[in-house]
Amino acid sequence: MSPTPRNRFAHTPFGVIGVGSYLPSQRRDNETVATSAGVSAEWILRRTGVHSRHIASPEEAASDLAAAAVKAACAAAGIDLDQLDVIIVATSTPDELGPATACRVQERTGARHAVALDVTAACSGWLFAAKVAHDWLVCTPQARYAAVVGVEAYSKFLDTTDRATASLFADGAAATIFGPTERGGFLDFALGSDGRFADYALIPQGGSRLPNGPGAPADRRQKISMNGPGVRKFIEDVFPRIVDESLSRNRIALSDLTTIVTHQPNPVLLTNVAHNAGITDAQLVIVGDEVGNIGAGSIPYALATAAGQGRLHEGDLVLAVAFGGGVTWGTALLEWTGASSVRLAPARLPHLQAL
């Protein structure tokens, strides 16, 4: 066995002490998507591996999903909401351009003592936010608990006739509570970005470059646009590289990792890329088949799922691998603390009941 990585952070260790997730009740199956997108349900399943996706109701915004996930995570961690010192929301689909969606989450949860802010790094958002939260706790002596939540309400920004995006993107939220731990916690972070490829996946209209309103270009809508081939090549290139870099930096072998949680852009693509990198099915957590691509919510949702299914045990080495629009990427290595999971899902999905 390779040497156990040392915690590079000289302080009281902080780790994940609770995870929670929330899925809205409405589902959109492949048959429904196929009808609008002009393809067959079989085509969607074969190309993506997605069976169904969850869709927020018209009155639900990102903050509503995120608040439910934060409440679940706090319950799993065994702390009160007013013990939170900071709430960081990672999302590409905020309630408004301003204020921060995290402020809405603070109000909806009653976390009155928390500082609230957003982090935007597309599908890598939770990992970038995790780094901010970790360093916040390290550098703020009086702070003990942080909520880091990834959430997307992509359905509000979908062109249902576009098979490339309508078959993949969906809604959901998952949150992690960071707190002091006697052992384990975060051992290493590495982040990266390359703005030359920012057009690979974006919502082009609605910001200061192409604002909505009178005079807005008729051919640009506030819908998700994606360069499928470009995104695929990016993932195929970056995934094995950053996994190898993390292993080398921490002087461990791939076999030392119990679990690998990643962004879930497309289960078929993810599985193929992971297998090519030598990652086994026992190590890889796949959740995109049941929820689609929920962007910044993908990694924490995978953590919630793995913990809820009993796949994570105290002392396990877990590698989180992110890649997303921007383009952005990163890894985080952590020793699992034994955190519990509370997952909230519709009653008609018995395999996703709250755990």
Side-chain angles (χ1 to χ4, degrees):
M1 181 175 177
S2 301
T4 301
R6 292 181 301 170
N7 193 323
R8 297 191 299 107
F9 309 112
H11 53 70
T12 300
F14 288 95
V16 176
I17 62 170
V19 286
S21 64
Y22 173 79
L23 298 174
S25 60
Q26 183 180 349
R27 295 178 64 211
R28 185 175 291 165
D29 60 21
N30 285 346
E31 286 73 17
T32 301
V33 174
T35 298
S36 299
V39 294
S40 67
E42 292 75 19
W43 182 93
I44 294 174
L45 184 60
R46 184 176 68 254
R47 298 289 290 268
T48 71
V50 178
H51 291 269
S52 65
R53 34 205 84 63
H54 293 258
I55 304 301
S57 64
E59 63 272 14
E60 282 183 309
S63 65
D64 299 303
L65 312 185
V70 169
K71 291 177 181 178
C74 282
I79 68 168
D80 294 330
L81 286 156
D82 62 7
Q83 290 180 267
L84 291 174
D85 297 292
V86 59
I87 297 172
I88 304 180
V89 172
T91 186
S92 299
T93 54
D95 285 23
E96 305 100 358
L97 287 179
T101 297
C103 291
R104 301 293 190 189
V105 174
Q106 182 201 34
E107 185 274 330
R108 282 159 174 70
T109 58
R112 55 198 176 99
H113 299 303
V115 175
L117 67 148
D118 288 359
V119 167
T120 302
C123 299
S124 302
W126 177 85
L127 188 59
F128 279 56
K131 171 64 170 169
V132 173
H134 176 269
D135 292 359
W136 187 294
L137 293 174
V138 169
C139 297
T140 311
Q142 67 272 24
R144 289 175 56 81
Y145 300 112
V148 182
V149 53
V151 59
E152 302 295 357
Y154 280 137
S155 66
K156 314 284 186 176
F157 304 93
L158 273 180
D159 177 358
T160 58
T161 67
D162 177 16
R163 65 185 187 182
T165 55
S167 61
L168 292 172
F169 291 93
D171 304 342
T176 46
I177 305 301
F178 296 178
T181 179
E182 292 184 0
R183 59 166 295 182
F186 287 95
L187 305 174
D188 178 65
F189 285 97
L191 307 177
S193 56
D194 190 338
R196 293 177 299 167
F197 306 106
D199 288 343
Y200 275 8
L202 74 163
I203 301 174
Q205 187 171 312
S208 60
R209 186 166 299 282
L210 286 173
N212 289 326
D219 62 338
R220 302 295 292 272
R221 295 179 297 168
Q222 199 168 1
K223 303 293 183 182
I224 299 170
S225 173
M226 184 174 70
N227 175 347
V231 168
R232 174 180 292 271
K233 184 178 186 306
F234 163 62
I235 294 171
E236 291 172 340
D237 290 344
V238 76
F239 188 105
R241 175 174 63 80
I242 59 178
V243 170
D244 286 345
E245 289 173 353
S246 180
L247 297 177
S248 176
R249 189 169 54 250
N250 292 284
R251 297 180 297 167
I252 57 175
L254 184 59
S255 58
D256 293 325
L257 298 174
T258 302
T259 305
I260 298 173
V261 292
T262 80
H263 171 48
Q264 309 267 323
N266 173 320
V268 170
L269 171 61
L270 176 59
T271 301
N272 290 338
V273 173
H275 286 173
N276 289 339
I279 297 168
T280 67
D281 289 335
Q283 292 172 306
L284 185 66
V285 180
I286 296 289
V287 294
D289 54 347
E290 64 186 24
V291 299
N293 182 342
I294 55 173
S298 293
I299 289 178
Y301 187 83
L303 275 176
T305 300
Q309 292 175 345
R311 294 178 61 174
L312 294 175
H313 304 91
E314 185 176 357
D316 285 352
L317 280 182
V318 179
L319 184 66
V321 185
F323 35 84
V327 290
T328 54
W329 62 85
T331 58
L333 180 67
L334 60 152
E335 183 180 339
W336 193 247
T337 60
S340 298
S341 171
V342 173
R343 295 191 295 158
L344 305 178
R348 59 188 171 193
L349 293 179
H351 64 294
L352 291 178
Q353 286 303 288
L355 299 173

